Amino acid sequence: MPSSQSEERHIHHIDPQRVFASLTFPPGRPVIAAVSGGSDSMALLVLLDSFFRSHGRVNGLIAATVDHGLRPDSAAEARRVAAFCAARGIPHRTLAWQGPKPGTGVPAAAREARHRLLADAATASGAAMVLTGHTATDQAETIAMRRQRGEGRGLAGIAPATLHGGAVWFVRPLLSLSRAALRGLLVGEGLSWIDDPSNEQLAYERARVRQALAGADENDRAEDLLVQGRRSSSERIEVGGRAARLIDRHASLPTPGLVRFEAGLLLDEDDVAALLAFRLLLATVGGREHLPEAERARETFQRLASAPGRGSLGGAVVDRRSDAVFLHREVRAGWTGAKAAAPGTVWDGRFRITARGLPPGARVGAAGQALAAIEAGRFEGCGVPPALVRAALAAEPVVSLEETDGGILEETGGGVSPVGADLARALLVRVPSPYAGFLPSFDLAPAEALRKLVSADEFPPSPWRSHNAA
C-alpha cells in the first residue's frame, strides 16, 4: 500500500490533481501506465496511483512493462516492477516482444513493438488510454534532434497525445515536468529506479544529443528548445486548421480511389496552408505514412497552378484538367500489393482489414485493369473522365481466396469477378493514410478533414479537454 506521504495532495511539490487536471478519465474504464522501471515511468505510476486513490478509483490503474528482450537484465527488471506494483496493489502485466530482433534500426523497431504491445493490452483490458512518462527533458532532446535534421513540422516535438492505429490514445501528461523534478519526487518518497545502460550508449542519436546538452547551462538550453517547440506546435496546429478548411472547401471523392479538388486550391492566397493541403491529399491517395518532401511538392504545386499537366509524386498520380485536379494511386507495372488478409493490418497504407466475415485464406490485392473496366460502368455519368475512373479503380482492393469456395471468386482475364470488389468493400475500411498508424494531437484538424473526405471511421475523442494540450 502507498505510504501516507503518497496519499497527500502534493507529492514532494508535484500535485497529481494538477498534472492530470486536463485529462478525461472515462468512468468504469481503467487506464494503462507504461512502466519500464526508469525514473520517469516510476514517477508517472506513483502520481497516477495517488490520483486514482484520491478519487476513489482503486481499480482504475493497470501497469504494463514491455520486455524487449534486448538485454540480459530485461526480464529481471520487469519482475522488479511487478513486485513494486504488487506491494501497492496495482495490477501489472509484462508484455514480451517475441520473435527475432532486427540487426539494424533497433530503436525504431523496439518503439514500434512497444506501441503495438501496449495498444493490444489496452484493447484486451478495455482501457481508455495508455499513459507514458515522457518528460520535458525528453521533449527538449527530441526538438534538438529534429532541429539538427532540419525538420520543419517535426520541430513541434512530442505530441501530448497520439492515436495509435485509429483506436488507442497514447497520452503524455508529464511533458511539462523535468526528469530532475520527477527524480526528486522519487527520492522524497524513498523510491529507487532502474537506469537503462542503453541511454548512455553514444551509438544512439538520443544519447549523443543528451551528452551535448549536458553542462552548466543545460537548463537554459533546454528551456530555449522548449520555447521553440511550443512556438512550432502552435504554428503546426494553426496551419493544419487552415489546411483542413481548404480540404473541406475544395476536395471531394467522386469515385472510389479518385480525389478531385478544384484548381482554385492551387491559387489560394494562403499558399502555406494550400501546399500543406496538397501534401496531405497526396499522402492520402498514395498510401504514405509521411507527407511528400515539401520542396518537390511545391514544384509540382506551382507547375500545376500555371497550366494543366500530369505527373506523379509520393505514390499518387496528379492530373490537372481544366479547372480541376485529380489524384489517384499510382499503379506501376506488375504491382498488385497482394498480401494475406490479417485482421487489423493496413493494406497499401489506405485500407484497414477488419475481422468481420473474413474468409479463411483470404488475400487482398489491387483490382487491376480488367476488373476496373467492369467496375467503371457503375460510375457512368459521374462527370469524371472515364480513363481516370478506370485508373483509380485499378488500384482499389479486391479479395481473393487461395481456394475458391464453390466458385465465389472466378478468374476473369487477369482480374477477378466483381464479387471480389464487393467482398473488399465489406471487409476493408478506408483510412486517412498519413494517420493510419499514428495521429499526433497536433494534427487533429487535418486528420478529421481527410477522414471525412474518404469516409473513414470516426476517431475516438482525444482524452485531453484541450485538443492540443499545449
Side-chain angles (χ1 to χ4, degrees), residues 154-419:
L155 292 176
I158 305 169
T162 300
L163 183 65
H164 177 271
V168 177
W169 280 103
F170 281 68
V171 183
R172 307 172 183 99
L174 306 185
L175 283 176
S176 63
L177 297 170
S178 70
R179 179 166 296 124
L182 295 173
R183 289 185 172 183
L185 179 156
L186 294 176
V187 170
E189 288 283 295
L191 301 174
S192 61
W193 59 87
I194 299 166
D195 284 319
D196 183 346
S198 65
N199 289 334
E200 305 302 324
Q201 293 178 5
L202 298 183
Y204 298 125
E205 180 186 19
R206 185 172 292 274
R208 295 194 299 272
V209 167
R210 183 173 297 143
Q211 184 185 70
L213 290 176
D217 61 346
E218 64 181 288
N219 290 337
D220 291 339
R221 284 190 285 174
E223 182 56 31
D224 288 344
L225 289 163
L226 294 173
V227 168
Q228 179 176 12
R230 288 191 289 269
R231 184 169 59 247
S232 296
S233 65
S234 296
E235 180 181 355
R236 178 165 171 169
I237 292 165
E238 172 60 27
V239 175
R242 302 196 321 256
R245 291 189 288 274
L246 290 174
I247 291 171
D248 287 339
R249 184 187 312 157
H250 291 285
S252 62
L253 195 74
T255 70
L258 186 65
V259 166
R260 177 192 186 277
F261 65 84
E262 299 167 5
L265 173 67
L266 303 169
L267 304 173
D268 195 280
E269 61 182 14
D270 188 353
D271 56 344
V272 173
L275 177 60
L276 176 59
F278 182 57
R279 294 170 68 199
L280 288 162
L281 292 171
L282 284 168
T284 296
V285 172
R288 296 296 198 261
E289 176 185 359
H290 301 290
L291 305 189
E293 194 272 326
E295 192 54 42
R296 288 193 63 200
R298 183 179 291 106
E299 292 172 1
T300 303
F301 187 82
Q302 292 173 343
R303 176 165 51 81
L304 293 175
S306 61
R310 190 172 184 274
S312 63
L313 182 62
V317 173
V318 189
D319 194 332
R320 177 177 177 180
R321 302 193 177 195
S322 185
D323 60 349
V325 180
F326 295 91
L327 305 176
H328 62 80
R329 178 71 167 92
E330 183 179 23
V331 179
R332 295 186 176 90
W335 178 82
T336 65
K339 64 181 289 187
T345 59
V346 175
W347 178 78
D348 195 41
R350 299 180 293 143
F351 292 85
R352 197 178 309 279
I353 301 170
T354 70
R356 53 177 185 255
L358 188 65
R363 292 178 60 80
V364 182
Q369 295 296 333
L371 180 55
I374 297 172
E375 287 276 281
R378 299 172 51 229
F379 302 100
E380 289 182 2
C382 68
V384 176
L388 288 175
V389 175
R390 292 193 299 272
L393 291 175
E396 289 294 280
V398 292
V399 174
S400 60
L401 305 180
E402 293 179 0
E403 295 182 5
T404 59
D405 183 6
I408 293 177
L409 305 179
E410 296 180 355
E411 297 286 340
T412 56
V416 293
S417 74
V419 177

Side-chain angles (χ1 to χ4, degrees), residues 17 183 465:
Q17 311 303 320
R183 289 185 172 183
R465 295 190 180 96

